[in-house]
């Protein structure tokens, strides 16, 4: 069995699978699907150079094999060969667009396009790719957040908020979606809107002290000290209502200290 690359802690199961694929490739050296399988295993153990060798060979042997192009782009992205990753991803998307019924594979291709553009420091282009992916449907909350993050990074806060609203409509008022909306509205100094998102988050039973502290900060930005003090007191009341074990945890004690420091200002 070949040893794992230096600095790589390969999982025994990956090594076992590599052994099996290597035996098959010894008999079928030009089998593109086997090369893709081995390339994926190399990516899993962070041996991206070996992965790229296999995946480049697979895409040359069978240029219409979408998985070869997808994983080739993934290996190139890991190696920071971003121009090459872009070319491989574009080849994948051209291939997939010839079969428009395969929405999930095409969405995955566009999400990869967005990830490559973000890695290349091109958030506006990333947002375009992510929009295409999300428009194909069945995007997860995390995938919506990739779109929102790219819009935010490309100085499109209104579009980012619209994307949050759409994600909330599809997935519900998840904390990670509400938090990013609060962040975006705070950054553009839309403090009333940020408070409205905070109030939506406060309808849920979790994270009340932290959210109330944040709301107090927004109210202070609006020059509303009395309202801010009410939020800070509500935050302390929420801490006092916690079970003792949670109330005396290090994180909650530090949060309480922050709240009292804000009260004293």
């Amino acid at each position: 069995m070949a040893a794992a690359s230096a600095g790589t802690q390969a999982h025994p199961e990956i090594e076992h699978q590599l052994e099996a694929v290597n035996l098959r490739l010894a008999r079928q050296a030009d089998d593109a699907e086997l090369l893709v399988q081995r390339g994926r295993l190399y990516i899993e153990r962070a041996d991206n150079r070996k992965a790229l060798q296999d995946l480049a060979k697979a895409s040359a042997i069978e240029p219409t094999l979408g998985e070869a192009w997808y994983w080739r782009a993934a290996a190139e992205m890991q190696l920071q060969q971003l121009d090459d990753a872009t070319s491989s991803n574009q080849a994948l998307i051209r291939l997939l667009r010839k079969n428009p019924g395969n929405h999930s594979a095409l969405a995955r291709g566009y999400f990869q396009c967005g990830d490559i553009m973000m890695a290349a420091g091109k958030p506006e282009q990333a947002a375009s790719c992510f929009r295409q992916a999300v428009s194909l449907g069945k995007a997860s909350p995390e995938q919506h957040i990739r779109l929102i993050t790219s819009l935010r990074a490309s100085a499109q806060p209104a579009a980012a908020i619209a994307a949050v609203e759409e994600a909330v409509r599809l997935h519900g008022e998840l904390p990670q979606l509400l938090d990013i909306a609060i962040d975006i509205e705070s950054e553009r100094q839309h403090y009333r809107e940020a408070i409205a998102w905070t109030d939506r988050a406060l309808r849920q039973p979790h994270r009340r002290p932290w959210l109330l502290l944040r709301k107090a900060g927004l109210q202070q930005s609006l020059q509303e000290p009395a309202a801010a003090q009410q939020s800070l007191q509500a935050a302390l009341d929420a801490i006092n209502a916690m079970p003792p074990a949670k109330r005396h945890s290090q994180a909650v004690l530090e949060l309480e200290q922050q709240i009292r420091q804000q009260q004293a200002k």
Side-chain angles (χ1 to χ4, degrees), residues 2 14 17-26 28-29 31-45 47 50-55 57-58 71:
I14 294 174
Q17 291 179 49
L18 274 170
E19 281 186 344
V21 175
N22 284 335
L23 286 172
R24 295 177 67 189
L25 278 167
Q28 301 166 272
D31 187 309
E33 291 188 359
L34 285 175
L35 287 165
V36 170
Q37 189 176 343
R38 187 168 69 178
R40 291 184 62 178
L41 290 167
Y42 279 140
I43 288 174
E44 284 192 53
R45 75 171 193 179
D47 201 340
K50 284 187 177 181
L52 183 53
Q53 289 174 2
D54 279 350
L55 294 160
K57 184 177 178 180
W71 291 105

Side-chain angles (χ1 to χ4, degrees), residues 140-155:
S140 68
E142 291 73 20
Q143 289 170 332
H144 278 277
I145 287 172
R146 284 151 78 182
L147 168 60
I148 295 160
T149 300
S150 66
L151 291 166
R152 182 181 177 189
S154 57

